[in-house]
């Protein structure tokens, strides 16, 4: 996660997704099925990671106004989701 550095939960969830798609690829004898894994994890985490990346960029450039930057860049504040 670009702001918090957290990643264990995402790794576990994505590992489960990867296993599911790998099993389906073996069942169908079609490695092309593996592209669905990329779609699946991006559908699940893509929006949140994109938002976090944008917030991280704002955080790095906005330390001059610390109060505003913290509210914009930390998930505990509503401003993060705006």
């Amino acid at each position: 996660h670009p702001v918090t550095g957290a990643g264990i939960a995402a790794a576990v969830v994505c590992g489960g997704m990867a296993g599911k798609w790998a099993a389906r690829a073996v069942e169908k004898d079609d490695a092309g099925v593996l592209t669905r894994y990329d779609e699946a994890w991006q559908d699940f985490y893509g929006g949140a990671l994109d938002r976090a990346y944008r917030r991280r960029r704002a955080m790095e450039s906005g330390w001059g106004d610390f109060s505003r930057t913290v509210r914009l860049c930390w998930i505990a504040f509503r401003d993060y989701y705006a």
Side-chain angles (χ1 to χ4, degrees), residues 19-55:
K20 178 179 91 171
W21 289 109
R24 288 186 181 172
V26 169
E27 288 171 356
K28 296 181 181 281
D29 194 26
D30 179 6
V33 171
L34 295 174
T35 61
R36 300 292 304 276
Y37 164 70
D38 189 52
E39 296 167 7
W41 82 258
Q42 287 192 42
D43 284 346
F44 196 78
Y45 282 114
L49 288 175
D50 181 57
R51 179 185 307 112
Y53 174 75
R54 287 183 278 119
R55 296 303 187 238

Side-chain angles (χ1 to χ4, degrees), residues 56-72:
R56 175 63 185 243
R57 300 289 293 176
M59 183 175 66
E60 290 174 353
S61 67
W63 286 118
D65 185 355
F66 184 75
S67 178
R68 179 186 167 279
T69 299
V70 167
R71 293 180 102 42
L72 178 66

